[in-house]
Structure formats: structure tokens, C-alpha cells
Amino acid sequence: MMALSVLRFYYHGWIESLYIEPVYFFSYFDWLVPPGSTGIYLLFGTVFLSALGIMLGLFYRQSACLFFLSFTYIELIDKTNYLNHYYFVSLIGFILIFLPAHRDFSLDAIRLPKIKRLEIPRWTTDLIKFQLALVYVFAGIAKLNPDWLFRAMPLKLWLPAQAHIPIIGPLLSYEITPFLFSWGGALYDLFLVFFLLYRPTRWLAYLAVVVFHILTAMLFPIGIFPYVMIISTLIFFSPEAHENILNKIKNWVGSIKRVFLPPAPIILKDGQRSDTHQETSSKNRVEDKSKNHIYTTMWSWKNLKPFLICFIIIQLVIPFRYLAYPGHLFWTEQGYRFSWRVMLMEKAGYTTFTVADELGKKTEWINNRDYLTAQQEKMMSTQPDMILQFAHHIADVYQEKGYQNPVVHCQSRVTLNGTLSQPLVNPKVNLAEIARDWKHKSWLLPFDPDFGKKHLPKN
Amino acid sequence: MRYSLFALLVCFLIGCGDSSDCPNPQDCPDLEETVDLAELRQEIAIHLTNNLILPAYQDLSEKSVALNQAATTFSADATDENLSNLKTAHQALWYCWQKTSLFYFGPIVNNGLRAGINTYPTDPDKIEANILTGTYQLGSLGNQDAEGLPALDYLLNNEDGITPLGEFTQERLDYISTLTTAIFEQVQNVEADWNNGSFKDNFTGTNTTGTDVGSAMGLIVNGIDLHFQRFVRDGKIAIPAGLRSAGIPRPFAVEALYGKYSTSLLLSSLNAYKDYFNGKSIIRNDGPCILEYLRKIDQPVLADQIDNHFTILIDKVELLDASIAQQIEIDNEALIEVFRSMQDLIAIFKSDMASVMGISITNQDNDGD
């Protein structure tokens, strides 16, 4: 038996994160053409209101649908903004549509008392646990690569940069620290879920969750992700634990009422009230138990089963799709996104373009910043699919400017995990002629880990 | 048994966060070499401020005073000698500017000094109209291409390089004096901002020794990236060579168009950059610097690469004609070669350097030009 309260509590954390999120997005407004700036504000309004709806349990299913659609839409507008945890939020949003999370501790349950339940089917919370487990385990698997384990990359680059942080700062400059972090992080991701599932180790594991994520929040600019994970991992706790927390919240609200409302006579009433409350809730429990066996809706496991199993399988397969592509995954990024590869690589680069007309009579060097924000330029410079997308955009622009079949070439230099920068794209290829598809990107140059050694500067 | 094993593992995981087997670094021989990078970053900011930036501004300030005085002298007594002195003072200030403008963060950006004193190409028609009407407002956005060093370049050097004394009417002389006073005042403001404002204390203090946006190192690296791209590569080479205009050169867009010394201004700028990376200044030969930092974080190859690249670039520029406008006519390909070399250097800044230093280059430019 799992209590609904689990999900309720979950949303509390979530709504918090939603207050913060728009700050990240606002800065990209200048480029978000598709819905226009009013459209974007409306979208964010929708995300906010629907998240509020989910949290309060008001028009729950409608809210969940709206939340999923609006949030995902925002995410899809610009690849620049892709982050694993936005993807995670989208997925959870999607799952929530199917869960009966509005049946207790919610306004819907007050609005429509007959939907009120104290219990929900186990699969509903299991589904969310599965999603979380997936994130951790895949993140762990992804860490099992030579750079991460044996060169402590990219942490070796990232940690010393944070040496100014109080207390732990000085420790970050030590040679051994990144290795401890790397191995610790990999073990943590791989095995955490099992400790969480196993009741005796649960509290310890959760303590590890809190410490780990607070640490990452201090060290890396990854926004709300740590908090999302800290809160959502709570779902692994037993129903009783959640009911305890909920009751504490209820009591706390009660005590606040006591402080702020007129004194003497109320205290008496309050005492009475809490008594009656207990009575009614235990009465409800009995009633609900009797109702529980007729618990069937269109949202039952039976009806959703084929669909949700597909969902699970797709989830399991997507992170492995990189196996279908040749080449170095981090270099080509074919199959990198949507695969829970979190904080795995330090990649930076500079990619510029020249455009010429077919006959080669006119040539122009593109200034990326005429088209892109600094952030977009930075993201585009290292991600092949974005490079190609931008090259096509340049071709379109110059076609309009009167270039006959514009020829677009690209000069790129990219560094991966601290190796000396090397060209990512073959500069001889006309990118305007390359189709944007899911095939292997043969127009990329292979990654050479020893590039630096071969191209030592002459003294 | 199993419990304690779990507990041990969990403790290990937590322990990774903040413990090290060695609470006291002195007891650990293998950790001796460790440098306190935050401290080094602060030292760089301090050395940079005290020994590079402040002396550069002092020099700039003195030269702007000298220019203003030379203009006053010439205005009162328009002789060949005084004209020659004025031109020398003007040129000296322009060279000095190349060695100051690259510290592109803080007061210089906030005061819009670059746009105020070095917007080019200058607009001769606007200058003549201003002189004719006598009603103009310097410092306004619309007049940026009619004031500053490039406007003086037009007024002091005609197409042949020499302007006959007879052409300096009273109105012209007044305009020159107004320009030199405006330059002097703007330079004073930025210098005062550096010396007295809160920026310096913050920049060299302990609160900005990180690598995040707004940290001293973040400002330094982002400033280099932005300034080098826009005002060195684009301003001095790419735009005149026509690389941003369908390959059609715009020789009139070079710096020092009338004085015809754009190439040596560029050289001065590149040498200043090389010194910047090496921590070298007019008052000290070395000190904590970016290249030292790169070596300390185990990137000696990268440090050498950057230093060598500046040398290679400077060698290429030294082969150019004294005037980049002239070079465009002789052989534009040589400029494209310089441009390519600059692109490579920028790629190193944006990829290798930013990456190993842990600095995000997402310069949101806000200087409005």
C-alpha cells in the first residue's frame, strides 16, 4: 500500500523549482522566435498555473496534461537549453498524467468527495521509482568510461576552478580529490537505488542523496537539479513515513493558526477540532477501505498496461542508441542527449563558417553573433547537429541575399576533457549539401586523443 | 555484517565529499606541490591591477593631458612646429590606447570609453557639418563618429598626410580643442573610476577569486575574448578586408586612415596582448599572469601554444604594408591570412583556455555599439 501523500509531497518540491526555472529561460527570450515573446510568457504562465494545479490537486488531470505539454514545448523550442533535468521533469510530467495523485490531500478531493481515496495502486509510485532509478543507474553506467575513471576528467578540470569555496575549497586543488569524486560519484549513481529500495539502509542512503546533491549544487552551476532529485528521491520512503510528514505539516499549519488567530477561546475549539479531525479521518479510512475494492477507472493499470510498458521499454532503449553509431560518443554526440549523461564531459570550442556562392565569386566569413546569442554560439560550436542546423540556416539566409546555391564550409576547433583542441568538422565538406537526418555524421573528423602530442608548437 | 558493509560504503560515498585522509597538508608529502589556485587567481588580479592596468591608465591620462595642452598651444599659435607637436601627441595617445583598451572590463566598459574616443571609420561630412554650424553635442551617440582619436586623425592629416597651416580656421581649431578636451575628460573619468571606485577593491578582493561569471578571472578571460574578437580581429582586419561584406573590401574602414599607420597600431595592440598574457608591464617585467596560471594547472603545452601563436601572428602582421588600407590594394590575401591566424587564436581562447580554466565564455555584451 502506498499513500497518496507521497506524490503530494513530491509536488511541493517541484513547485519550488518552478519558481526558479523561469529565471534561466528569460535570458533566451531574444532568440525564441517560434511563439513570440507574448506566447512565451503565456507558456510560462501555463506551466506555472498547471504546476500549481498539480500541487493543489485542483483539476488534476487537466493540469498534468497542460503541464507536460507546455513544459515540453518550451524545452523543444531550443536545443541550446537542453538539460537532462528538464528532460526528467518532462518525463515525470508525462507520468503524472496517468497517476491518480489527486485523491487525497487535494482540492479535487474536496471538490468531488467521491473520488477521494487513501490508497492508490502500487504501480503508480513504482513507475516514478522506476524513472528515478533509471536516471541514477544510467548516469552511473555512463560514468564507466576511461576518461572518467582513470583521468578523473572532467572533474579534474572543474574542481580546482572552485578552490575559492569556503572550507572544502582548498581540498579541491589536491591531485587525488577529483579521483575520489569520480569514483565516489560513479559508485553512488550505480548503487544508490538499491540502498534506497532496501529499508534498513534507506535513511543512510537518503542522507547520502542530500549530501551528494548539496555538494554538487555548491560546486557546479546545475541549477535546480540537485533540489529536484533531493525531493523526488523521497518517494522511496514508505507510506507511513510520508503520512508522518504530512501530519506534521498539518500540525504545523494548525500551530500557525493558533499563533495568528485570536487567542483564548479558540485554543479550546482547536483542541476539539483536532479531535474531530482524527475521528473523521479514521472514519474516512474505514469508509474508503470499503469502497476500495470498487476502485476502477479508465486510468487503471489494466487499461494502461500496454502503453506504459512501451514507455518503459523506450526509456530503457534510448540511452543505448549510441551503440548504433560508430565513432567516439562524446565527440560526435550521436545519441548523447536524452541518455542521462550528466556532467560527463568538458567540451568547448569555436566554430565559424564561410559562405560562398556556387561559382566561388563571393565569399563571406560569417560572424556567428549576428545570428546567435553568446550562449547559443557556445553550445552550437561543440554539437554537430546544431552546427549542421546553423549551416543550413546560413545557406537559407544567403540564398535570399542572392547567392546561387550557397556553399557553406565550417572551421571548427573543439577540446574534449582537456585535450588540445582539434577540428571537429571536415573543413572541406559543403555543409549545405548534407542532409539533416539520423544517419552517421561522416562529415565529422574522428577524435584523436593524441592530437596535442602530434601538434606540439615549434619552439 | 551486511548492514555494516552498506553503512561503510555509504559513509565512503559521503566521505568523498569533504574528507581527505590527510587533514593536515604538511603531513602529506605527495600533496606538497599543490598550489592554492584561488590565491593565485587573486594574485593575478592584483598584479594585473597594480602593475599593468593602473600604470597604463596613468600613462593614458598623462598623454591625454599632453594632447590637450598641445592643442591649446597650437590653437594660440598655429606654427608648423606646434602642429607637429600636436600630431606627435595625438599619435602617442593612440598607441597608448592600444595598450590600455584590452583590459576590457569594469570602468572602461561602464564608461563607454572605447566608443567615446575610438569609433572608426570617422565621418568627415559630419565633422565638417559640426564645424560649420558650431552646434553639436559631443558624447552623444550620433556624434561618436565625429569625435575622438579618429576625428582628430582626419583633422590633422589630410589625404596626403599633411594639412597646410592655412586650412586651420578658428572654427577648426576650436573643434580640435573641444575634441581633445572631451578625450581628456573621458580618460580622467575612467582613471578616477579605477583609482577611487569600488571596482578595484572588488576585483582584487577575496570575494571574486572564483571562476564564475563576475569573478575577476571570469572578467579577464571574457574581456579578452570579446575585445580581441570585436575590436582587434573585426575592427582592425575583418571589416576593412571585406570579410564581413561579401568579400568587397572597405579600405576606408581602417584605423588611422589618414595618418596611415594602422599596421603599427595593430602591432602595438598585439604586443600589448602578448605582454598581458605574460604579466609584463611598463613598470615590471613579469608577475603572476594567465600563462603562469595555465602552467600551474598542468597545461604547459597550452601556455606555450598561446605565447607562440602571438609571436606567429605578430610576425605575419610585420610583413604588412604600414597602412592596412594600402595592403588591401596590394594583396588582400595577406590580410585574410592574418584573419585566419586570429581565428585560430580565438578558437584556443574559447575552447582550450576557457575549458581548462573552468570559465564560461558567454559574454553578454552590453556596451551598446
Side-chain angles (χ1 to χ4, degrees), chain B residues 66-79 82-83 85-86 177:
Chain B
L67 173 69
N68 204 26
Q69 272 168 358
T72 312
T73 313
F74 179 62
S75 216
D77 184 13
T79 63
N82 286 342
L83 175 59
N85 288 342
L86 175 57
S177 292

Side-chain angles (χ1 to χ4, degrees), chain A residues 79 321-337 341 345 347 379-388 414-416 422-426 437-448:
Chain A
K79 282 180 196 168
R321 71 187 189 284
Y322 76 93
L323 293 172
Y325 295 104
H328 190 303
L329 168 66
F330 293 174
W331 188 245
T332 66
E333 296 200 32
Q334 297 175 129
Y336 190 85
R337 283 192 206 111
R341 296 179 212 289
M345 57 175 188
K347 209 175 176 190
M379 299 306 274
M380 178 277 293
S381 285
T382 60
Q383 298 182 35
D385 60 332
M386 292 173 81
I387 291 176
L388 189 58
V414 174
T415 164
L416 176 63
Q422 51 185 292
L424 170 67
V425 179
N426 185 341
D437 54 26
W438 294 49
K439 288 196 196 116
H440 171 57
K441 296 180 175 68
S442 52
W443 44 276
L444 299 176
L445 293 171
F447 177 68
D448 178 1

Side-chain angles (χ1 to χ4, degrees), chain B residues 108-361:
Chain B
I108 189 174
V109 178
N110 302 338
N111 287 277
L113 183 62
R114 194 211 60 80
I117 73 171
N118 198 25
T119 294
Y120 62 89
T122 198
D123 185 345
D125 294 343
K126 204 181 272 179
I127 294 171
E128 295 298 346
N130 282 347
I131 293 171
L132 200 67
T133 59
T135 52
Y136 47 85
Q137 199 192 343
L138 293 184
S140 68
L141 209 61
N143 260 328
Q144 280 177 346
D145 53 0
E147 62 180 309
L149 296 161
L152 285 172
D153 176 41
Y154 165 75
L155 289 165
L156 300 178
N157 309 294
N158 74 3
E159 294 289 341
D160 306 321
I162 310 153
T163 306
L165 282 179
E167 285 190 11
F168 290 102
T169 59
Q170 193 54 48
E171 292 77 17
R172 252 182 144 67
L173 290 171
D174 289 348
Y175 194 72
I176 290 172
S177 292
T178 317
L179 294 186
T180 57
T181 309
I183 292 171
F184 158 74
E185 281 169 359
Q186 290 180 74
V187 170
Q188 298 289 307
N189 283 340
V190 177
E191 194 200 10
D193 245 19
W194 260 107
N195 280 313
N196 311 323
S198 58
F199 182 82
K200 185 178 76 175
D201 291 339
N202 198 35
F203 184 72
T204 55
T206 47
N207 291 332
T208 54
T209 60
T211 52
D212 49 336
V213 177
S215 66
M217 203 47 100
L219 288 173
I220 292 169
V221 172
N222 274 280
I224 289 171
D225 175 71
L226 176 66
H227 182 269
F228 194 83
Q229 279 190 82
R230 191 181 296 172
F231 303 122
V232 180
R233 179 197 64 188
D234 287 352
K236 295 180 201 286
I237 296 288
I239 292 171
L243 301 177
R244 305 286 189 220
S245 46
I248 300 157
R250 297 156 56 90
F252 54 86
V254 298
E255 202 171 15
L257 172 66
Y258 303 95
K260 297 189 172 69
Y261 50 94
S262 42
T263 299
S264 47
L265 285 177
L266 171 58
L267 273 175
S268 175
S269 171
L270 293 176
N271 279 309
Y273 259 105
K274 196 169 149 72
D275 291 347
Y276 187 1
F277 276 87
N278 281 295
K280 188 179 163 191
S281 79
I282 42 180
I283 60 168
R284 268 185 60 178
N285 233 355
D286 52 23
C289 60
I290 299 174
L291 294 188
E292 181 189 336
Y293 186 79
L294 290 175
R295 291 188 180 106
K296 286 274 160 62
I297 57 171
D298 211 15
Q299 297 288 336
V301 176
L302 179 59
D304 291 347
Q305 198 182 30
I306 291 173
D307 200 35
N308 287 336
H309 207 112
F310 272 113
T311 312
I312 294 167
L313 183 56
I314 288 166
D315 287 348
K316 281 186 176 143
V317 173
E318 272 174 346
L319 296 176
L320 300 178
D321 189 88
S323 158
I324 288 169
Q326 191 63 33
Q327 181 64 47
I328 291 169
E329 307 228 331
I330 302 167
D331 175 21
N332 201 26
E333 205 47 49
L335 289 174
I336 296 176
E337 190 47 39
V338 169
F339 171 80
R340 285 210 178 93
S341 186
M342 287 177 170
Q343 289 283 80
D344 288 345
L345 192 54
I346 290 162
I348 295 172
F349 295 161
K350 279 183 187 289
S351 58
D352 304 75
M353 195 170 95
S355 190
V356 298
M357 292 175 85
I359 284 170
S360 170
I361 297 191

